[in-house]
Amino acid sequence: MTTTTPTGVLRPGRRLWAVLAALFAVALCLAALPGASPAHADDLDDQRRAAEKKQRENDKELEQLEHDLEEISEDLADAVIALKKIEQKLPDAQAALADAQAAYAKAKREVKALEDRLEAQERTETGLVERIEEDEARSVEVRANVGALARQAMKGDLSTSSLAIMLDAADPQEYVQQSGLVTTALRSQTQLLDQLAQTDAANRNAKVRLEAVRERIAELRADAVVKQKEANEHRKKAQARGVEVRTLIDDQKAKTAFIQSRKDEMEAKEEQLKRDRESLESDLKEIIKKQKARDKKKKDKKAGPVGSGIFQNPSSYNPMYITSMYGWRQHPVLGYPRLHAGIDLRAYCGVKILAGRKGEVVWAKYRSGYGNQVLVDHGEINGNYVMSSYNHLQGFNVSAGQKVSGGDVVGYSGSTGTSTACHLHFEVYINGATVDPYPYL
C-alpha cells in the first residue's frame, strides 16, 4: 500500500513522480530568475538553498516535536513548542545583531575618517586664507614702494646722467657715492617689481588651490552627512536587533522556568502512561491465554512469519500520511528514552477510522492515556495471535463482540486521552507485544 512519511516522501510507485515534479519546479524557478553574473547567481542560489534547507529542517523538527508532545497537557506542549521556536530563532537573531553591530562600527569608522579628512582640509583652507591675506598685504606694500620710486623718477631724482653727477660732484669720492646711490635705487626698483610679480603669481595659485580645497570640503561635508545618516540607520538596526535578542532570551528563560515548574507533572504522566501500557499488555496476555485454552484441542502449530501487508489503511486518507513512526525516542523535556508503541496517522477530527483487517471487537471503551480505544482481535495468523488498536477516538461505531471486516468504520478520529490534536494512534500486537505496524500495512 502506498503511504506518505512525515517528511512527505512517497513510497515506490509515487516517489519517482514526486522527485521529477520537484526537479521540474526547481527548474522553473531558476528559469524565472533575472539575469546575473554566474558567480553572483551561484552565491545567491547557495544562500537560498541553505535557507530553504534550514527552514525544512526546522519545520520537520517542530512537526516531530508536536507529535512527541501528544501525551503532555496542551499549555505545557505549547510552552515546549514555543521554546523550540525561540531556540531556532535565537542563533539567527544573534547573528543578525552581530552583523548590525559590525555594520554600525564600520559606519562609525568611516564617519570618523571623513571627519578627520574634513578637519585636515579645513586646516589647509585656514592656512591658505592666511597666506593669501599676507601676500595681498605684501603686494600692497611693494606696490607702494614701486610707486614711490616711480614718482622720484618722474621728478628726475633717478634720471640724472653720469656726466651731471660728475660735474656736480665736489670731488671724485662724492661722484662715486652719488653714482652708487642711483645704481642701488634702480636695482631696488627692479627687485621690487620682480617681487611684486612673484607675489601676485603665488597669490593667484593660492586662490586657485583655495577654491579646490573649498570644493573638496563641500564634498566631504556632503559625504559625512550621508555616512552619518547611514551610521544612524545601522545604529537603529543594531538597537532593534538587540531588543529582539534580549526579548528572545527573556522569553527563553520564562518558558524554561515554566516547563521546569511542571516537570513533576510530566513525570507523573509518564508513570501513568507506563502503567497504562503495562495494564494493556496484561490484558492482552490474558486474552491470549484464554485463546490458547480455547484452542487447546487444536494440534499445536509452530509459529511462523506473519507476513507483510496484512493490514489495510485504517485512515480515511489515500495515501495514508504517517506523522510519527514507531520506535524509541527521547522525551522532549525529561530527556530519557521512551517507546512510541505505534504509528500516528493524519486523521482530522471526526473523520472515519477503519478496521485494518477482519476480526472481532474485544472492547470499545475509554482507557486512560489511550483515550477512547477500540481493540480488535484478528485471530491466529500462521501460529501468531494478532490484534490491533485504534486510539484517541472521538466516538465509537462498534461494540464489544461485534464482527468487523477490513474497511468497516470502527470509530471517528479525535483527541481523547493524552493527546493534543486529532489523529489516529494505531498499534499492532503480535502474541501480546507491540510491534512496528508499518511493515504490516
Side-chain angles (χ1 to χ4, degrees):
M1 176 175 294
T2 303
T3 62
T4 306
T5 65
T7 56
V9 178
L10 296 175
R11 293 180 66 187
R14 299 203 179 205
R15 183 180 301 157
L16 179 59
W17 289 110
V19 172
L20 291 175
L23 290 174
F24 181 68
V26 171
L28 288 177
C29 291
L30 292 176
L33 290 175
S37 64
H40 183 62
D42 289 345
D43 290 342
L44 292 177
D45 288 344
D46 290 343
Q47 293 175 11
R48 177 176 56 80
R49 281 192 289 268
E52 290 174 349
K53 179 181 178 183
K54 185 174 182 180
Q55 185 60 50
R56 286 194 299 272
E57 290 173 350
N58 286 345
D59 291 344
K60 182 179 178 182
E61 189 176 14
L62 284 172
E63 183 180 14
Q64 184 59 56
L65 180 60
E66 288 174 356
H67 295 302
D68 291 346
L69 293 168
E70 67 176 23
E71 295 163 352
I72 296 177
S73 61
E74 186 174 356
D75 60 337
L76 190 54
D78 289 343
V80 174
I81 292 172
L83 178 60
K84 175 57 67 176
K85 290 180 178 179
I86 291 170
E87 291 171 347
Q88 290 176 345
K89 289 179 181 179
L90 190 54
D92 289 340
Q94 290 171 327
L97 172 59
D99 290 344
Q101 290 174 332
Y104 177 45
K106 179 183 177 183
K108 285 201 300 182
R109 290 193 300 271
E110 292 173 347
V111 169
K112 181 64 168 59
L114 283 171
E115 289 175 345
D116 290 343
R117 290 200 293 271
L118 180 59
E119 184 179 350
Q121 291 294 327
E122 287 174 340
R123 286 197 302 269
T124 300
E125 178 191 29
T126 300
L128 286 170
V129 169
E130 291 175 352
R131 179 179 171 183
I132 289 170
E133 290 174 350
E134 291 174 358
D135 288 346
E136 288 179 343
R138 190 180 303 113
S139 178
V140 170
E141 182 182 353
V142 170
R143 289 180 189 278
N145 291 334
V146 170
L149 289 174
R151 285 191 295 275
Q152 290 178 4
M154 290 178 66
K155 292 177 180 179
D157 294 341
L158 299 179
S159 60
T160 305
S161 65
S162 297
L163 179 60
I165 294 173
M166 184 179 65
L167 294 174
D168 289 341
D171 52 43
Q173 185 177 1
E174 183 180 356
Y175 166 74
V176 171
Q177 290 176 344
Q178 292 294 329
S179 179
L181 289 173
V182 171
T183 301
T184 299
L186 291 172
R187 188 184 301 117
S188 296
Q189 183 181 31
T190 301
Q191 289 174 347
L192 286 172
L193 290 172
D194 290 342
Q195 184 180 357
L196 180 61
Q198 292 173 2
T199 300
D200 287 346
N203 209 345
R204 286 194 299 271
N205 290 336
K207 287 180 177 179
V208 170
R209 188 181 173 194
L210 177 61
E211 183 179 356
V213 167
R214 284 175 171 169
E215 288 178 357
R216 181 58 181 153
I217 287 173
E219 292 174 357
L220 287 172
R221 284 175 177 166
D223 291 344
V225 169
V226 172
K227 189 55 65 177
Q228 185 61 58
K229 184 177 180 181
E230 290 180 7
N232 291 337
E233 290 298 323
H234 287 304
R235 176 178 54 80
K236 291 177 182 178
K237 287 182 181 178
Q239 290 174 341
R241 296 296 187 186
V243 170
E244 180 183 359
V245 169
R246 288 192 295 274
T247 300
L248 286 171
I249 291 174
D250 290 344
D251 289 347
Q252 182 184 42
K253 291 178 179 178
K255 297 298 182 187
T256 301
F258 174 74
I259 291 167
Q260 289 299 316
S261 71
R262 303 282 291 275
K263 189 174 180 180
D264 291 344
E265 174 189 328
M266 285 184 282
E267 289 177 340
K269 283 196 173 184
E270 285 299 309
E271 286 298 319
Q272 181 60 49
L273 289 171
K274 182 179 178 181
R275 290 193 294 271
D276 292 344
R277 170 63 55 196
E278 291 172 348
S279 174
L280 178 60
E281 290 176 353
S282 176
D283 291 344
L284 294 178
K285 288 177 181 178
E286 185 63 28
I287 293 170
I288 291 172
K289 181 180 178 181
K290 291 178 180 179
Q291 288 175 328
K292 286 182 177 180
R294 180 195 62 196
D295 299 337
K296 189 167 73 172
K297 295 181 181 180
K298 294 183 180 179
K299 184 179 180 180
D300 290 339
K301 182 179 179 181
K302 186 177 181 180
V306 174
S308 60
I310 61 173
F311 286 96
Q312 66 181 68
N313 178 7
S315 74
S316 295
Y317 300 96
N318 188 21
M320 67 181 180
Y321 188 92
I322 301 174
T323 57
S324 188
M325 300 297 287
Y326 176 97
W328 288 93
R329 61 197 59 180
Q330 192 175 46
H331 191 285
V333 178
L334 301 176
Y336 51 72
R338 60 175 181 168
L339 177 65
H340 185 244
I343 60 174
D344 292 339
L345 301 175
R346 175 175 290 171
Y348 297 117
C349 298
V351 301
K352 297 176 181 178
I353 300 301
L354 314 176
R357 181 182 174 86
K358 68 177 182 179
E360 180 179 340
V361 176
V362 178
W363 63 63
K365 63 181 180 180
Y366 186 86
R367 287 192 68 104
S368 191
Y370 295 98
N372 290 328
Q373 181 188 70
V374 171
L375 180 71
V376 178
D377 179 7
H378 304 288
E380 186 181 344
I381 301 177
N382 201 13
N384 299 280
Y385 293 92
V386 179
M387 288 177 270
S388 64
S389 70
Y390 310 79
N391 303 277
H392 306 309
L393 301 179
Q394 185 183 90
F396 303 115
N397 194 53
V398 292
S399 56
Q402 183 176 335
K403 302 289 186 180
V404 294
S405 299
D408 286 351
V409 178
V410 296
Y412 303 93
S413 176
S415 185
T416 55
T418 51
S419 170
T420 57
C422 291
H423 70 287
L424 170 63
H425 178 73
F426 178 64
E427 294 190 2
V428 171
Y429 317 94
I430 295 180
N431 299 321
T434 62
V435 296
D436 183 0
Y438 188 71
Y440 301 101
L441 286 165

